[in-house]
Amino acid sequence: MTPANSSTPESKPAPASRARFLTVRLAAEDDFDGWRDAARRLAGAAIPPDMVIWQVGEHGGELFADALPLPPPPKTELRVSRAFVELAQSAILHRDPERFALLYRLLLRLANHTASIEDHADPLIRRIEMLAKAVRRDMHKMHAFVRFRELDDEFVAWFEPEHHIVRANAGFFVRRFAAMRWSILTPEVSLHWNGEILHEGPGADRSQAPDGDVLEEVWKAYYASIFNPARLKVGAMLKEMPRKYWKNMPEAELIAPLIAGAQAREAGMTAQVVPEPERARTLSGLREEAQACRRCPLWQDATQCVFGEGPTDARIMVVGEQPGDEEDKAGHPFVGPAGEVLARAMDEAGIDRGRIWLTNAVKHFKFVRRGKRRIHQSPTAGEIQACKWWLDQEIGLLRPKATVMLGASAIRGVTGKAGAVGALREHGLPLAHGIGIASYHPSYILRQPDRDASDQAYAALVTDLRRAGSEAGSD
Ligand code: URA
């Protein structure tokens, strides 16, 4: 973004007797780059904060027609800490009209060494930190409470942020819902994603967003199913999900009845209160639905939900643990190193990869960051259980003749129980649909410390895949 200063640095200064102010016009409420550029120039010329008027857009230009021009960029670069930049990037998104001036004041004090960004007792720093905190909270609320509704061939959401966070949050929604066409309408600006490019549009009115459809029922069923009366803490719940967001959230209408019914349910008196979650009818419908999955926290750090894929009449399903780093970026299962081993083993077993449904027990990548690397973490039993909701539906819709479970997480995902590959792989497990065949995960094969162990596990995988091929038959 660029600043939209009415004055150019090169223009002649107005006579000192008439010009009392320096007006900075920023292009938008969230124009951090414009603020930074102007603040650098002003600080370089040691302009006192009281002489500066910060404006957004063209409003009120005539009031300050005799304003001084903005100074040119300073010859020596003003150095500020990363901590200040991060604080300023958040605080600038606050609705408080004073924020630009407060930040400039702090910048000058940091440059003059009359403040330290570490000094959290400094009233100016404290005030700016409060602004930044409120913005971060608003951004988090937007991540959590945007609810898309289906309208024609796209998904539309209405959201009313407290601060100017919409543009800053756009990347989150693009990454999270890359595969969908969507629009987020807000009073100030709207975002439109067509699957490839993000467009911005003018602010909208609530009446432009759809009011309800089948997704509402899915959300409500989902919310009711995760609502745990034994954990009910009304205060904490209201803090996390403030009332003002309720009007845009289909599940909100369930909150009061669920709270009212909580004690009775806990006592086991209303065992059948929880509605069965509505089932999507097709695998592609399920895939779309899973993009918005919040059943466990893994969605927060992953790039996207990596759903299963393959022909919908596949007779063999192969279940892995979870997408890895490459799968998370690509949005497809088994496209990284483990996928190469699996593809080779399938080839050797005479199985056409194009005829298989490939999926995972857990659909979001779980990792910890080490520097630039994202290191795989095994999912917990709770995460596998949360994701079983998707896997069960996937299996129910595909009805495979043979399901190959690669490793312990896949065994747990499919059967709901713990089991070791070594103990199970000799025996086929009867499942509700076809037979389950446990085998070694390709990553386990890659991790073996010596060649012999790796070759043995690989040969077992080929044998198990061959068995799946014959169990699945051809009729
Ligand atoms: N490992 C898995 O279990 N699944 C993938 O999709 C990739 C690696």
Side-chain angles (χ1 to χ4, degrees):
M1 264 170 235
T2 53
N5 302 303
S6 60
S7 326
T8 59
E10 291 74 24
S11 59
K12 261 180 129 187
S17 57
R18 287 178 55 221
R20 284 178 295 270
F21 303 111
L22 237 149
T23 304
V24 179
R25 292 212 181 88
L26 300 174
E29 296 281 1
D30 56 356
D31 183 6
F32 175 75
D33 292 344
W35 175 86
R36 180 168 56 186
D37 179 70
R40 269 174 61 224
R41 293 167 182 248
L42 296 166
I47 306 290
D50 298 339
M51 272 188 71
V52 185
I53 292 171
W54 297 89
Q55 289 191 340
V56 176
E58 292 305 314
H59 318 293
E62 60 292 347
L63 256 180
F64 305 105
D66 60 351
L68 283 167
L70 204 57
K75 294 226 163 36
T76 46
E77 200 49 63
L78 180 65
R79 299 192 72 80
V80 287
S81 66
R82 183 81 219 140
F84 172 74
V85 175
E86 282 172 7
L87 183 67
Q89 277 172 329
S90 293
I92 214 136
L93 304 180
H94 200 280
R95 196 165 285 279
D96 185 342
E98 297 266 312
R99 64 198 185 280
F100 306 117
L102 292 171
L103 283 166
Y104 178 55
R105 197 172 283 277
L106 177 58
L107 177 71
L108 280 186
R109 286 189 49 206
L110 293 172
N112 299 336
H113 305 288
T114 55
S116 153
I117 194 78
E118 310 292 329
D119 182 1
H120 305 293
D122 183 314
L124 178 59
I125 294 179
R126 252 208 344 255
R127 179 156 173 208
I128 294 174
E129 280 177 343
M130 297 291 285
L131 301 185
K133 191 171 166 196
V135 165
R136 284 194 300 270
R137 183 172 155 82
D138 202 29
M139 291 185 73
H140 170 74
K141 297 291 175 211
M142 185 172 173
H143 293 174
F145 299 139
V146 158
R147 293 287 180 271
F148 288 102
R149 280 120 161 141
E150 204 164 6
L151 181 67
D152 301 328
D153 64 342
E154 76 163 349
F155 291 88
V156 181
W158 167 253
F159 190 75
E160 288 165 76
E162 271 185 47
H163 304 292
H164 306 290
I165 58 164
V166 177
R167 276 190 207 96
N169 253 347
F172 171 89
F173 288 96
V174 167
R175 283 192 300 280
R176 184 72 57 225
F177 301 110
M180 284 164 46
R181 287 164 57 87
W182 53 257
S183 292
I184 300 178
L185 311 181
T186 81
E188 260 176 28
V189 60
S190 39
L191 301 175
H192 308 278
W193 172 251
N194 64 8
E196 284 171 15
I197 299 170
L198 184 74
H199 295 280
E200 255 185 36
D205 188 273
R206 204 213 174 307
S207 63
Q208 289 169 260
D211 245 350
D213 69 355
V214 286
L215 282 191
E216 309 264 288
E217 295 312 312
V218 177
W219 271 110
K220 282 192 255 177
Y222 163 56
Y223 187 77
S225 72
I226 60 164
F227 184 86
N228 182 349
R231 295 244 186 105
L232 180 62
K233 289 198 178 78
V234 178
M237 187 168 150
L238 288 177
K239 189 157 167 255
E240 260 314 295
M241 196 196 281
R243 277 181 203 278
K244 67 180 177 142
Y245 297 107
W246 290 16
K247 60 180 181 294
N248 300 322
M249 298 169 59
E251 68 270 33
E253 70 183 58
L254 296 179
I255 293 174
L258 283 172
I259 290 174
Q263 284 174 343
R265 288 177 59 201
E266 199 180 357
M269 288 162 61
T270 54
Q272 292 310 313
V273 169
V274 185
E276 256 294 290
E278 184 165 307
R279 303 278 150 158
R281 299 279 170 273
T282 62
L283 282 158
S284 64
L286 199 61
R287 172 182 293 114
E288 258 175 38
E289 225 183 87
Q291 290 302 327
C293 180
R294 303 288 185 267
R295 299 185 72 82
C296 81
L298 293 185
W299 64 273
Q300 294 178 38
D301 295 323
T303 309
Q304 57 196 307
C305 167
V306 180
F307 201 73
E309 58 187 32
T312 51
D313 61 350
R315 301 166 74 91
I316 301 175
M317 176 184 254
V318 173
V319 185
E321 181 193 67
Q322 62 166 328
D325 183 63
E326 292 189 33
E327 288 81 10
D328 170 74
K329 290 180 198 145
H332 303 287
F334 285 106
V335 293
E340 277 174 33
V341 175
L342 182 61
R344 196 154 40 88
M346 281 184 182
D347 247 16
E348 244 174 85
I351 288 183
D352 177 357
R353 184 175 164 142
R355 303 287 313 139
I356 302 293
W357 185 269
L358 274 179
T359 192
N360 284 297
V362 170
K363 310 273 192 270
H364 283 109
F365 178 34
K366 180 176 179 183
F367 61 92
V368 286
R369 277 188 202 282
R370 262 194 224 125
K372 289 201 175 136
R373 296 180 61 214
R374 303 192 299 169
I375 312 291
H376 159 276
Q377 297 272 287
S378 298
T380 62
E383 286 153 356
I384 296 170
Q385 179 60 31
C387 217
K388 192 170 182 339
W389 197 75
W390 299 111
L391 184 60
D392 283 350
Q393 293 186 73
E394 232 176 334
I395 295 172
L397 287 164
L398 193 76
R399 297 170 171 264
K401 298 265 187 249
T403 299
V404 181
M405 302 169 287
L406 300 175
S409 297
I411 294 172
R412 190 185 276 280
V414 172
T415 67
K417 298 195 187 90
V421 173
L424 290 177
R425 66 169 286 270
E426 301 294 326
H427 318 279
L429 298 175
L431 302 173
H433 298 290
I435 186 162
I437 297 169
S439 193
Y440 294 108
H441 192 287
S443 303
Y444 170 83
I445 296 169
L446 288 169
R447 274 200 315 270
Q448 291 311 297
D450 62 72
R451 185 68 194 260
D452 277 359
S454 167
D455 286 351
Q456 265 184 32
Y458 177 77
L461 174 61
V462 173
T463 304
D464 298 332
L465 287 168
R466 207 172 273 135
R467 176 163 180 206
S470 64
E471 292 284 354
S474 55
D475 57 337

